[in-house]
Amino acid sequence: MIIEPRTRGFICLTSHPTGCQQNVIDQIEHIKSKRAINGAKKVLVIGASTGFGLASRITSAFGSDAATIGVFFEKPPSAGRPASPGWYNSAFFEEEAHKAGLYAKSINGDAFSKEIKRQTLDLIKADLGQVDLVIYSLASPVRTHPETGVKYKSVLKPIGSSYKNKTVDFHTGVVSDISIEPAVGDDVDNTIAVMGGEDWKMWMDALQEEGLLANGSKTVAYSYIGPALTEPVYRKGTIGRAKDHLEATAFEIGDSLKAIGGEAYVSVNKALVTQASSAIPVIPLYISLLYKVMKEKGIHEGCIEQIQRLFQDRLYSDSTPTDDQGRIRIDDWEMRDDVQAQVAELWEKATTETLPSIGDLEGYKKDFFNLFGFMVPGVDYDKDVNEMVEIAGLQ
Ligand code: NAI
Ligand code: NA
């Protein structure tokens, strides 16, 4: 079987196992090329299969020789159909970790549910005793509440008034005007229920109540701020309200963790192409301009570079510097004045005609296809992947 990308809107319906394997190997190589991090030894990553969560798992395992348990929601292969990319990423991560003599097990299912929390707690109890770092990196459009059974859907809308700006269809390169209608009804509360901090707190309470957090444990969840340009649809929109809630939850969790000398943080990360961010209107245009500017300045980073720097220079350095709201900032290079001034200038000029030269649309596209294992350098896409597709590496 030869697998080709099949896209529908901002999702890709197929994925390439060898490409996903190569992505994982490349991320591992990046971590091995840096010095060891004096980090955690037993790590739980919730949302471990793609994006920042996968990078956190790889950084822990190959930067600090940590045992890792990864929780995620991915689709296994079926009847000749490839699995979702996060499935392959996790299978090949486990393979590489085991080769390196590292403990690595994964739990595939709904992290919001009581069942998956129970399974995870039991696995920690049986195999690791305790963990000393919990990374919370879920990005989901829906959440079924474990107590009430209510299914919440998050939305990406401005609050108060409609928002008009430009966006790009990164497949065609066409820049067009869009208008997004403001949140109505329970949109804000629903988005907070899905992407706010309630579930993170539930995880941390359960872990702490059952004595599964070692003394001095840390936990980190990921947030985003971004420029004034995207504020109406991001930081001051429905998703921003959920991030406000997540950030406030860090203080609540931090208070509970004081009993064991632990700490809870939110880290504000850089805008990057992931499955989660490609679904947000306007962001792809912003990212394609941002990439251009940051690459020219030699300060571009992907998920693995971001998380490596987060662990080495912030989380496990002598002190953990935070902003005036207690947040770790690893979006510092994205938010630099010179970077933002240049992006704002390019934003004004961005049209279908100018974008190929003033923006990094190619870089955006490449990163998008890379998420699914396509366009990865060094992969022979003409090679039959029958055996790879049904890899049984994950239990
Ligand atoms: P992603 O889409 O790459 O990863 C999401 C992860 O959550 C995957 O491992 C997926 O399997 C898992 N997941 C989703 N629903 C689940 C469920 N019900 N049960 C178990 N696992 C589930 O997303 P990304 O971008 O890495 O996002 C992670 C966090 O980082 C989010 O909080 C996001 O807001 C934040 N962030 C993202 C930025 C970006 O530009 N991509 C920038 C700054 C922060
Ligand atoms: Na993630």
Side-chain angles (χ1 to χ4, degrees), residues 40-106:
K41 289 293 179 194
K42 296 173 181 180
V43 180
L44 170 63
V45 182
I46 303 158
S49 53
T50 56
F52 286 113
L54 175 65
S56 305
R57 191 177 194 186
I58 290 174
T59 302
S60 299
F62 290 90
S64 310
D65 289 333
T68 59
I69 292 177
V71 180
F72 46 76
F73 209 2
E74 298 292 347
K75 197 165 53 69
S78 63
R81 282 174 62 98
S84 57
W87 172 274
Y88 291 128
N89 292 343
S90 302
F92 291 117
F93 167 81
E94 283 194 8
E95 193 176 294
E96 294 300 320
H98 295 159
K99 269 196 259 171
L102 298 170
Y103 173 99
K105 284 191 186 175
S106 302

Side-chain angles (χ1 to χ4, degrees), residues 45-55 71-75 84 86-87 90 107-113 116 136-144 195 199 203 221-225 234 239 243 246 267-278 280 283 287 291 303 306 331 334 371:
V45 182
I46 303 158
S49 53
T50 56
F52 286 113
L54 175 65
V71 180
F72 46 76
F73 209 2
E74 298 292 347
K75 197 165 53 69
S84 57
W87 172 274
S90 302
I107 292 179
N108 187 25
D110 181 8
F112 297 127
S113 71
I116 290 299
Y136 189 82
S137 187
L138 290 186
S140 172
V142 290
R143 173 179 174 226
T144 301
M195 288 298 286
D199 182 63
W203 272 101
Y222 297 137
S223 189
Y224 183 65
I225 297 177
Y234 198 95
I239 182 70
K243 291 300 188 192
L246 183 81
S267 170
V268 181
N269 298 349
K270 177 197 184 196
L272 280 168
V273 181
T274 65
Q275 290 181 68
S277 70
S278 47
I280 309 177
I283 299 281
I287 291 183
Y291 273 26
C303 287
Q306 274 271 291
D331 65 339
E334 168 182 357
L371 296 175

Side-chain angles (χ1 to χ4, degrees), residues 117-377:
K117 287 191 177 70
R118 187 68 263 153
Q119 274 184 43
T120 309
L121 299 179
D122 289 345
L123 184 61
I124 294 171
K125 227 172 261 183
D127 287 4
L128 303 180
Q130 288 183 320
V131 292
D132 50 3
L133 173 65
V134 179
I135 296 293
Y136 189 82
S137 187
L138 290 186
S140 172
V142 290
R143 173 179 174 226
T144 301
H145 197 280
E147 303 296 340
T148 62
V150 174
K151 189 173 178 177
Y152 296 101
K153 282 191 181 145
S154 70
V155 298
L156 295 158
K157 294 184 187 174
I159 295 172
S161 51
S162 65
Y163 170 65
K164 289 187 180 53
N165 215 320
K166 348 185 196 188
T167 191
V168 65
D169 176 336
F170 60 87
H171 294 299
T172 61
V174 172
V175 177
S176 62
D177 291 326
I178 50 153
S179 176
I180 311 168
E181 291 308 305
V184 291
D186 296 332
D187 279 349
V188 170
D189 288 344
N190 292 347
T191 306
I192 292 173
V194 179
M195 288 298 286
E198 188 185 26
D199 182 63
W200 182 25
K201 179 98 170 53
M202 284 179 169
W203 272 101
M204 296 310 298
D205 284 349
L207 287 160
Q208 194 170 2
E209 271 159 29
E210 301 196 19
L212 301 180
L213 297 177
N215 282 332
S217 286
K218 296 182 202 265
T219 184
V220 187
Y222 297 137
S223 189
Y224 183 65
I225 297 177
L229 253 167
T230 60
E231 242 175 21
V233 72
Y234 198 95
R235 193 62 209 207
K236 290 189 175 156
T238 50
I239 182 70
R241 294 290 289 277
K243 291 300 188 192
D244 291 344
H245 186 273
L246 183 81
E247 291 172 13
T249 305
F251 293 103
E252 281 181 47
I253 295 172
D255 283 343
S256 308
L257 293 185
K258 276 183 191 141
I260 55 162
E263 293 163 17
Y265 291 105
V266 159
S267 170
V268 181
N269 298 349
K270 177 197 184 196
L272 280 168
V273 181
T274 65
Q275 290 181 68
S277 70
S278 47
I280 309 177
V282 186
I283 299 281
L285 180 57
Y286 169 69
I287 291 183
S288 66
L289 298 174
L290 180 74
Y291 273 26
K292 180 83 170 186
V293 172
M294 293 187 81
K295 284 178 184 177
E296 270 172 13
K297 292 180 184 288
I299 52 171
H300 175 72
E301 297 174 298
C303 287
I304 196 68
E305 289 85 2
Q306 274 271 291
I307 299 298
Q308 197 279 335
R309 198 158 64 88
L310 168 66
F311 278 44
Q312 181 120 64
D313 293 354
R314 303 285 196 276
L315 212 49
Y316 295 106
S317 70
D318 295 340
S319 68
T320 299
T322 54
D323 67 12
D324 58 3
Q325 297 183 54
R327 303 173 296 206
I328 297 175
R329 302 297 297 266
I330 206 74
D331 65 339
D332 47 350
W333 297 349
E334 168 182 357
M335 299 311 285
R336 253 168 50 176
D337 289 344
D338 59 324
V339 171
Q340 286 302 322
Q342 236 174 296
V343 171
E345 203 176 296
L346 293 174
W347 186 271
E348 295 305 317
K349 296 183 187 150
T351 63
T352 308
E353 290 69 39
T354 60
L355 193 59
S357 57
I358 69 165
D360 185 25
L361 205 54
E362 285 313 305
Y364 190 102
K365 258 193 223 177
K366 184 181 152 293
D367 276 11
F368 177 80
F369 284 107
N370 282 179
L371 296 175
F372 303 90
F374 297 107
M375 291 174 73
V376 178

